[in-house]
Amino acid sequence: ILSPAVDERFPEKTLIRHLTRAVGPVLGVDAKQVAAAWHAGCEAQAEYQRKLQAETHRVLDRLAAENKPAFVLVGRPYNLYDTGLNVGLPRKIAEYGLPVIPSEGLGFRDDDIEPRYHNTYWNFAQRALAAVRRTSQAPNLYPIFLTNFGCGPDSFTLTYAERTVGRKPMLVLELDEHAADAGYVTRVEAFVDVVRELEARRLAGESPEASRTSSATVKGVLSRGDSGEKVGEEWKKRRIWIPPMHVFGTGFIAAVFRRNGIDARPLPVEDREAFEIGRKLSRGTECLPTAVTIGGLVKVLREQGADPRHEAFFMPTAEGPCRFGQYCTLHKLILEDLGWGDIEIVSPSSYNNYQGLPESVRRDMWTGILAADVLYKAVCKARPHEREPGSVDREAAVRQALLEGALESGRDWEPVLRDAVEALAALRGDGPPRPLVGVVGEIYVRCNGYSNGEVIRAIEAAGGEGWLAPIGEWILYTSEMARREARTGTNTFNPIEMAVTVLKDGFLRREEHRIYKLAGPFLADRHEPPVREVIDTGTKYIPEEFAGEAVITMGRAMLFARHGASMVVNCAPFGCMPGTLTSSCLQEVQAHTGVPMVSMFYDGDLDINGRIASYLANLPRPRDAARPPAASRRDDRTLWS
């Protein structure tokens, strides 16, 4: 299998190098031959696109002159053109007597996408939204959107497309291996009847209702390339709500905001009511954090009778491939539907290390995140062995309040964290050893107690001890990728940008080492591996160029297994794109290491953590644990804590 990283954002020289490295040794070609082939392929593709678009516009001009309708098929190329996947639907639709035009023939222009969807970073999703918008603006064209069951990007793209097309009808056909041909044909027939009726009214001079297409931007979003000054300071004057991503981290981040003069409040951990609110307000096919975060916010604001003009919501963003970067856009649409469009959404981006926030806030947030990670590690190590049930949780609550107070007031918080770890360590008894279970996966689901059904407590109840991959891992990963981007990425090398990025990355790493040292000997065996090692380990399965959490999920899971964890739990929302990839790859890791890799897909409706108890119950105990085969014995021993 030849699988080069082909990313057309790369400079051509970089792209050719990737191609040559992947195919050169196998095909016996050098970089010059690869470059020539690449140029020839690009020219052939461009010529095809020119011919296709010319023919398409010739047909469109004729249809407009004759005042005749047509269908525009929207979707990914493999859905539009593969007659196996689409069960021949384009031909079947054409048999009803109306022309069928592939959206690719319309061409693509950046300004075809509404400004509010500027961060729709998937290429095919961009083209689909552009096609739907152009179709909605032509009175005689009607879109038919071909999608797939469980398609991650389309869980958001379809919502955007429906809002773009407004009151104009659009048919959505979801393809999967179970649907029968007759079911699709029935829906097509109904859609054809609707279109013919509308066309009859249009030709009779009746004006259909205008589209509700809007071009408003998402107010308050800080995204790629933006700065705090560009967006303005208005959000700092509001009360800003922070989703409950982490049992300690959310409160610490809110305290950091307050220390810097911004009224911030942590949202309470979601419950069933918040989840149901979020599901009703969203499409329902988005990943779980989409629903629970907006549901938690709406629930609190309704309970308080809040004035939207005085509220803000902290929801960072990204630029893919994970769906997380779409949350802020969809949340804004939902709030507008509720009549709360005045709520500002503050969305610093991982692309630029969350620039746009005040520098003091960014710096102190990192401190708060690390303190939260350390405190939670101490809880996870002490609680399974506590002498008195509940004592660790009670002590942790006290220490959490003390740390929040210190972070907010600006007092020296380091002794408070040191004392907290020592107090928790003193509550750990000398019970029998427990198997250590590493927890990796999608960052919100693995850290949020409601989303994962309290997976750490489930591990403890089943006789294990949990080690949660920390929030800080993601911050260090984005910093490492920014440093890589400055050195070899899509932009021209900029020595000043590189120097600044290296300095900031160095600060993050130094702070991590310093704060983990505060935990002393109790957490000496709970330090995290360098993020570069995590990435390099994960690239055995996931290319580094495929940016996002998949590579660090793989890398951290493999390092847990390599360093002696008895089991690894991979947490992800149901339908998660990176989670689906890592779940498959981790089966091979399990086969090689003998360490169970348990992938858990959560949807908010069902407690599935009972599987963890089954796996833990079948782990070999220390006295009968067999040595792994010599071929896989590289630190794969079972670790009992």
Side-chain angles (χ1 to χ4, degrees), residues 328-583:
C328 61
T329 302
L330 182 61
H331 287 166
K332 187 62 178 179
L333 297 175
I334 291 171
L335 293 172
E336 289 176 352
D337 288 345
L338 292 172
W340 293 351
D342 286 333
I343 294 177
E344 295 219 27
I345 299 183
V346 183
S347 295
S349 175
S350 63
Y351 174 81
N352 57 14
N353 281 337
Y354 306 100
Q355 294 178 24
L357 294 173
E359 187 62 31
S360 58
V361 172
R362 293 173 64 217
R363 183 176 60 249
D364 292 344
M365 277 179 60
W366 179 231
T367 296
I369 287 170
L370 290 171
D373 285 338
V374 166
L375 184 62
Y376 194 57
K377 282 176 181 283
V379 168
C380 291
K381 187 171 183 180
R383 189 167 58 198
H385 305 273
E386 61 187 356
R387 300 183 186 88
E388 179 187 346
S391 60
V392 169
D393 285 338
R394 291 192 295 271
E395 186 66 31
V398 172
R399 301 295 172 169
Q400 177 185 9
L402 291 173
L403 269 165
E404 285 184 14
L407 288 168
E408 181 176 355
S409 66
R411 299 194 311 271
D412 185 5
W413 57 268
E414 294 183 11
V416 183
L417 178 61
R418 188 183 299 112
D419 292 346
V421 174
E422 291 175 357
L424 292 168
L427 298 175
R428 177 183 164 110
D430 298 321
R434 288 174 172 238
L436 191 68
V437 180
V439 179
V440 299
E442 196 276 329
I443 190 167
Y444 195 90
V445 169
R446 80 180 188 225
C447 294
N448 176 262
Y450 176 78
S451 296
N452 62 39
E454 296 290 351
V455 66
I456 295 294
R457 293 183 184 274
I459 291 169
E460 294 170 357
E465 179 178 324
W467 180 341
L468 178 69
I471 301 179
E473 174 191 67
W474 175 254
I475 306 299
L476 290 168
Y477 169 74
T478 59
S479 178
E480 174 66 23
M481 295 307 288
R483 186 169 70 162
R484 179 179 181 275
E485 178 75 10
R487 185 177 68 251
T488 62
T490 62
N491 300 318
T492 304
F493 178 78
N494 185 326
I496 296 178
E497 179 184 341
M498 177 65 180
V500 171
T501 301
V502 169
L503 287 173
K504 289 181 178 179
D505 185 68
F507 165 76
L508 296 178
R509 295 167 190 267
R510 288 192 301 273
E511 279 294 285
E512 181 198 27
H513 295 154
R514 186 177 68 84
I515 292 175
Y516 270 79
K517 284 185 67 175
L518 295 175
F522 184 61
L523 293 185
D525 61 345
R526 292 294 188 271
H527 290 204
E528 294 296 314
V531 71
R532 185 69 255 173
E533 181 182 359
V534 175
I535 296 170
D536 290 342
T537 304
T539 53
K540 179 178 179 181
Y541 293 91
I542 307 291
E544 186 172 356
E545 293 78 12
F546 185 73
E549 67 191 29
V551 67
I552 53 176
T553 294
M554 286 301 305
R556 192 65 188 95
M558 294 168 71
L559 289 175
F560 268 131
R562 185 178 299 172
H563 297 155
S566 301
M567 189 170 86
V568 176
V569 175
N570 177 26
C571 298
F574 177 76
C576 174
M577 300 191 304
T580 301
L581 291 173
T582 56
S583 173

Side-chain angles (χ1 to χ4, degrees), residues 1-38:
I1 296 177
L2 304 178
S3 55
V6 181
D7 187 336
E8 293 190 66
R9 295 173 300 177
F10 288 158
E12 185 177 273
K13 186 181 297 185
T14 303
L15 199 151
I16 296 299
R17 185 170 66 250
H18 278 287
L19 284 167
T20 305
R21 186 183 303 138
V23 307
V26 179
L27 303 181
V29 295
D30 58 23
K32 185 176 180 180
Q33 292 171 292
V34 170
W38 172 258

Side-chain angles (χ1 to χ4, degrees), residues 22-272:
V23 307
V26 179
L27 303 181
V29 295
D30 58 23
K32 185 176 180 180
Q33 292 171 292
V34 170
W38 172 258
H39 293 148
C42 290
E43 290 172 6
Q45 182 68 16
E47 177 62 19
Y48 163 75
Q49 293 289 345
R50 284 193 293 270
K51 290 181 177 179
L52 173 63
Q53 291 169 27
E55 175 65 14
T56 299
H57 287 284
R58 186 186 66 78
V59 172
L60 291 176
D61 291 342
R62 176 176 58 79
L63 291 172
E66 297 174 357
N67 215 7
K68 291 184 177 179
F71 294 123
V72 175
L73 255 60
V74 180
R76 288 165 176 74
Y78 43 80
N79 285 334
L80 299 188
Y81 305 136
D82 188 311
T83 55
L85 286 176
N86 64 34
V87 294
L89 280 173
R91 181 176 296 277
K92 292 182 176 69
I93 295 169
E95 289 173 354
Y96 289 93
L98 296 178
V100 176
I101 298 169
S103 56
E104 191 178 4
L106 299 177
F108 175 73
R109 302 187 303 254
D110 288 342
D111 57 5
D112 286 332
I113 301 176
E114 291 188 58
R116 67 167 53 212
Y117 306 132
H118 72 286
N119 197 39
T120 305
Y121 32 72
W122 303 295
N123 180 284
F124 291 142
Q126 291 174 358
R127 294 174 181 276
L129 290 177
V132 167
R133 192 180 189 199
R134 292 179 67 177
T135 302
S136 69
Q137 294 168 344
N140 65 324
L141 299 181
Y142 297 87
I144 298 179
F145 202 123
L146 301 185
T147 184
N148 306 94
F149 172 76
C151 177
D154 281 357
S155 65
F156 287 86
T157 307
L158 284 171
T159 298
Y160 303 161
E162 288 168 353
R163 290 170 180 266
T164 297
V165 81
R167 292 185 176 89
K168 192 171 192 177
M170 177 178 71
L171 175 63
V172 177
L173 296 175
E174 186 178 87
L175 307 171
D176 64 33
E177 69 272 27
H178 301 295
D181 187 27
Y184 294 127
V185 170
T186 300
R187 297 184 63 192
V188 169
E189 288 176 346
F191 188 62
V192 169
D193 289 341
V194 170
V195 168
R196 284 177 172 160
E197 180 182 347
L198 285 174
E199 282 297 299
R201 291 169 55 192
R202 184 173 70 86
L203 294 176
E206 300 179 29
S207 298
E209 283 190 287
S211 168
R212 295 178 297 179
T213 303
S214 168
S215 60
T217 57
V218 182
K219 185 178 181 182
V221 170
L222 307 174
S223 60
R224 173 174 176 170
D226 289 342
S227 66
E229 293 74 24
K230 184 174 180 180
V231 174
E233 303 292 308
E234 176 63 29
W235 66 272
K236 297 180 184 178
K237 303 173 185 177
R238 299 175 176 233
R239 178 171 56 175
I240 182 169
W241 294 95
I242 301 175
M245 182 174 183
H246 188 275
V247 61
F248 301 130
T250 304
F252 290 0
I253 290 173
V256 164
F257 272 99
R258 294 194 297 271
R259 176 182 177 179
N260 287 272
I262 301 167
D263 183 14
R265 295 288 181 268
L267 285 167
V269 176
E270 302 92 351
D271 56 16
R272 180 73 187 192

